[in-house]
Amino acid sequence: MTTFDEEMMRRALQEAADDFVISDGALERILDEARDTASRDDGPRIRAFIQRNGRGRSSILAAAACVVLLAVALPLFNSEGPAKSTSALDFGAAKHVSVQGGAATPDAPAGFTDVQGTGFETGATTSGNSLTLTNASAKLSVTTGVDVAGQSSLRVEEVGTIHLTVGGKRFQSTLSKLTDFATTDGGFVASTQSHMGTKATHSYSTGSIILQVPEHNFTMLVDQVRHAGVATSVQTSATDVTGQYVDLQARITASEVSRSQYLKIMTRTNSIGGILAVQDQLNSIQSQIEQMQAQLNLLNTETTYATLTVAVSETGHQTTTPVAKRTGVDKAWHDSLHGFAAGVEWLIRIAGPLLFALLLIGVLLFLGRWTWRATERRRGGIS
Amino acid sequence: MSDAVDVHELRTWLEDGYASSVRTAYLILGNRPDAEDAVQESFLRAWKFRDSLATGSSFKPWLYRVVVNTCNSKLRKEIPHRNRRRPDDDLDDVAMIDDPIGRVTLSHDVISALKDLPTHLRVVVVLRYYVDLSEHDIAIVIGRQPGTVKSRLNEARRRLAEHPALQSEAPRPITVRKESKS
């Protein structure tokens, strides 16, 4: 037989099977077994949890896949979404603000166009409890947590730096104006430093002033200061130190409890050695309490008052190295590179969650299929 | 009362399908006691889960599916882990009966070739050429797509056509087969 003969196969199998003689009493044995089984299985029959038809299984698997995807995608999109608007810093007119991936980039702010090449960085980035805001001139909404300061427990440390350039004649008056801003906002001038330039020496006037205002007036102060001259850069940052603050408070309370316990022990100790040992412990705890209290006080001060450092310089004094403005092919090339890098960054960012989701779906599908097949085998039926 | 009715139903099933089922299992398992065990288990299981047979579905493929699944389960779990049963029960022994017209020799060769097939191919061959199920019904029985059945059947045919026992046109002497077996 060099080729397969179907008829011969049928005949051979039939003949081979016909040689199988059915045992006497085989049917009765099965029926007896069935009767025994029926008497054992008096309880209700457990129905299949999953309907045994293809559509039902597919629907359940699809629903499971959707749930997994949503579970993975929602946190991802929440983390990549634009910053929530809880406080608005209006830094004046802007020609255009483009928002991409949570960062806002203003194009050539009006009023600042005379400052060629000065770097303006705008954006909001959050990391853990801290938030950093670098800004230029745009109406920019950022989450600082300040507006939720209604929750008394929230402690936010805010600092900022502004570079101002003013005309030579306005230098002194600007410094005075800055001092006034701080005092009218309920704050004070922490330090000031200035250098008066002269035409004879061809030097420019420069100065810096550190202002401290109550934390809730910080935004207003930044707004006032940046209008006092031409702001070449504005940088503010807010750090949520609530966790640190609460932790310190808890540690201090715990240490104070320990201290009171040691004091009780000391009153009951009669031996000199015992008293000295307890005294050592008390000294150590007291030292720790004082250290932590100092840190707490510092945090308290830092979160009560926001600090703004203003660097003032006379127009013409270059504090930063100008960056040559790119044009034409050069600009296009750099834009292209930037776009490519941004694309790669995005791919890398989503690759992790996506891979995890795929892996999870794969495992679920495998488990579902395995369970289904095991059930099928166990039950031996068909849908 | 309901149990009596059910058992009566099972008796009807058995009278209708026991013989063909046990022979199918015998061809798949290649062993008489295993085939009887498998079919007994299959009928009890099918009877227990008879509600899962959807209305309008064909009874025959459903029952064969139960039988095939039980056979597969035995081949996978039980048979490899125990000593073989008495050799007298094996399929090869179809050649032991009287064979005046060479019928048994042919069966023996085919069965020998069949036994050399992997289980998944043997199942489709038995279902196709012994039970005479269509490819569609075989697909239902083994829980695969009809395309898979076609593919398996082609593979099985190719292997059978190339099998040494089926290469020669002339029937081989039975004694030679028996000697080679011992």
Side-chain angles (χ1 to χ4, degrees):
Chain A
M1 180 172 147
T2 52
T3 56
F4 186 78
D5 187 340
E6 294 192 348
E7 276 310 310
M8 191 199 71
M9 174 59 72
R10 277 201 180 87
R11 192 156 42 90
L13 288 178
Q14 198 65 50
E15 286 164 0
D18 286 346
D19 290 330
F20 185 101
V21 182
I22 306 295
S23 308
D24 292 334
L27 301 189
E28 286 307 320
R29 276 202 306 275
I30 297 175
L31 287 170
D32 289 344
E33 182 72 25
R35 284 190 195 98
D36 289 348
T37 308
S39 61
R40 280 198 303 269
D41 293 347
D42 284 338
R45 185 173 294 146
I46 298 168
R47 307 291 302 180
F49 177 70
I50 298 174
Q51 286 303 310
R52 296 158 61 80
N53 59 62
R55 186 174 295 177
R57 274 196 309 273
S58 303
S59 305
I60 288 168
L61 283 177
C66 287
V67 167
V68 170
L69 273 178
L70 278 175
V72 173
L74 276 179
L76 177 69
F77 287 128
N78 283 342
S79 66
E80 291 186 351
K84 286 177 228 163
S85 174
T86 55
S87 70
L89 307 179
D90 186 0
F91 291 111
K95 287 179 181 173
H96 175 68
V97 176
S98 61
V99 178
Q100 189 174 16
T105 308
D107 296 343
F112 293 165
T113 47
D114 56 335
V115 186
Q116 289 293 324
T118 302
F120 282 88
E121 291 180 354
T122 304
T125 55
T126 56
S127 172
N129 286 331
S130 71
L131 177 147
T132 304
L133 167 69
T134 57
N135 193 7
S137 61
K139 180 163 182 170
L140 182 63
S141 297
V142 291
T143 300
T144 63
V146 177
D147 281 4
V148 286
Q151 302 167 10
S152 57
S153 59
L154 191 66
R155 296 279 171 173
V156 179
E157 189 181 312
E158 285 186 292
V159 292
T161 308
I162 295 181
H163 287 273
L164 284 180
T165 56
V166 293
K169 291 176 185 173
R170 290 176 54 207
F171 184 77
Q172 278 295 350
S173 63
T174 303
L175 287 180
S176 305
K177 210 187 280 181
L178 292 176
T179 308
D180 291 343
F181 288 154
T183 50
T184 48
D185 288 345
F188 57 93
V189 177
S191 76
T192 177
Q193 183 190 354
S194 64
H195 166 76
M196 300 304 293
T198 58
K199 284 185 181 175
T201 56
H202 297 288
S203 61
Y204 293 94
S205 299
T206 57
S208 71
I209 184 166
I210 298 175
L211 308 174
Q212 289 202 307
V213 290
E215 172 252 334
H216 58 273
N217 285 336
F218 182 68
T219 308
M220 189 169 63
L221 178 69
V222 170
D223 192 31
Q224 288 170 335
V225 169
R226 69 161 299 280
H227 283 102
V230 177
T232 55
S233 79
V234 179
Q235 192 170 34
T236 61
S237 71
T239 308
D240 184 359
V241 291
T242 312
Q244 204 179 339
Y245 192 87
V246 172
D247 182 46
L248 273 174
Q249 278 182 325
R251 283 164 60 193
I252 288 170
T253 308
S255 296
E256 282 172 348
V257 170
S258 292
R259 184 177 61 184
S260 60
Q261 283 173 344
Y262 272 112
L263 283 171
K264 277 182 193 168
I265 293 168
M266 186 178 251
T267 57
R268 293 173 194 167
T269 307
N270 297 321
S271 66
I272 300 292
I275 290 172
L276 287 175
V278 175
Q279 184 65 44
D280 276 351
Q281 290 295 327
L282 271 172
N283 288 342
S284 168
I285 290 175
Q286 184 63 32
S287 164
Q288 288 173 13
I289 289 174
E290 283 168 6
Q291 257 181 352
M292 288 186 290
Q293 192 62 53
Q295 289 176 20
L296 193 69
N297 290 342
L298 181 66
L299 271 182
N300 210 1
T301 308
E302 286 175 346
T303 53
T304 307
Y305 285 94
T307 306
L308 182 67
T309 305
V310 186
V312 188
S313 57
E314 198 179 332
T315 308
H317 180 253
Q318 292 293 341
T319 54
T320 54
T321 309
V323 179
K325 192 178 179 183
R326 293 192 172 94
T327 54
V329 176
D330 186 35
K331 183 176 184 301
W333 170 247
H334 278 88
D335 286 352
S336 169
L337 278 182
H338 178 73
F340 179 78
V344 170
E345 188 189 339
W346 179 80
L347 276 178
I348 291 170
R349 201 164 52 237
I350 66 160
L354 205 61
L355 195 65
F356 176 73
L358 288 174
L359 205 64
L360 209 56
I361 288 170
V363 168
L364 278 177
L365 285 174
F366 174 78
L367 282 177
R369 185 176 170 77
W370 181 81
T371 310
W372 174 67
R373 294 195 68 174
T375 313
E376 284 290 295
R377 274 200 299 274
R378 186 167 49 80
R379 295 187 61 170
I382 59 172
S383 52
Chain B
M1 180 65 190
S2 63
D3 283 349
V5 173
D6 287 343
V7 173
H8 176 72
E9 184 186 352
L10 176 61
R11 178 183 287 279
T12 313
W13 284 14
L14 287 167
E15 285 168 357
D16 286 351
Y18 181 78
S20 62
S21 298
V22 78
R23 283 168 176 151
T24 303
Y26 174 58
L27 290 174
I28 293 172
L29 296 172
N31 180 293
R32 181 187 296 266
D34 280 333
E36 287 179 338
D37 285 352
V39 171
Q40 174 171 336
E41 194 179 325
S42 302
F43 268 85
L44 289 173
R45 189 181 289 178
W47 179 65
K48 186 177 178 183
F49 293 106
R50 59 196 175 279
D51 292 347
S52 67
L53 176 63
T55 312
S57 299
S58 180
F59 174 73
K60 193 176 173 186
W62 181 75
L63 185 60
Y64 276 112
R65 179 167 186 167
V66 182
V67 173
V68 167
N69 281 341
T70 311
C71 290
N72 279 333
S73 176
K74 277 193 174 297
L75 282 168
R76 194 170 49 249
K77 292 177 187 168
E78 291 181 24
I79 296 175
H81 301 297
R82 67 161 190 244
N83 294 330
R84 288 178 63 81
R85 290 177 185 268
R86 292 177 300 120
D88 291 352
D89 295 325
D90 285 355
L91 270 173
D92 287 346
D93 294 307
V94 293
M96 291 178 71
I97 64 172
D98 190 22
D99 185 24
I101 54 171
R103 171 177 79 81
V104 173
T105 305
L106 174 65
S107 295
H108 186 279
D109 288 341
V110 171
I111 295 304
S112 172
L114 190 67
K115 285 189 72 176
D116 286 343
L117 287 178
T119 307
H120 66 285
L121 299 182
R122 199 188 315 153
V123 167
V124 291
V125 168
V126 170
L127 292 175
R128 182 77 188 92
Y129 297 111
Y130 174 67
V131 186
D132 207 23
L133 291 181
S134 67
E135 287 173 352
H136 177 262
D137 284 346
I138 295 173
I140 294 173
V141 170
I142 65 171
R144 292 284 185 274
Q145 296 296 318
T148 308
V149 174
K150 246 177 215 171
S151 158
R152 287 186 183 180
L153 275 174
N154 282 335
E155 174 66 11
R157 286 189 200 110
R158 187 186 63 76
R159 290 196 187 199
L160 288 171
E162 290 171 5
H163 195 276
L166 304 177
Q167 287 291 316
S168 170
E169 291 290 342
R172 297 179 186 185
I174 300 169
T175 50
V176 175
R177 303 295 283 175
K178 283 184 70 66
E179 280 168 8
S180 65
K181 193 180 135 197
S182 61

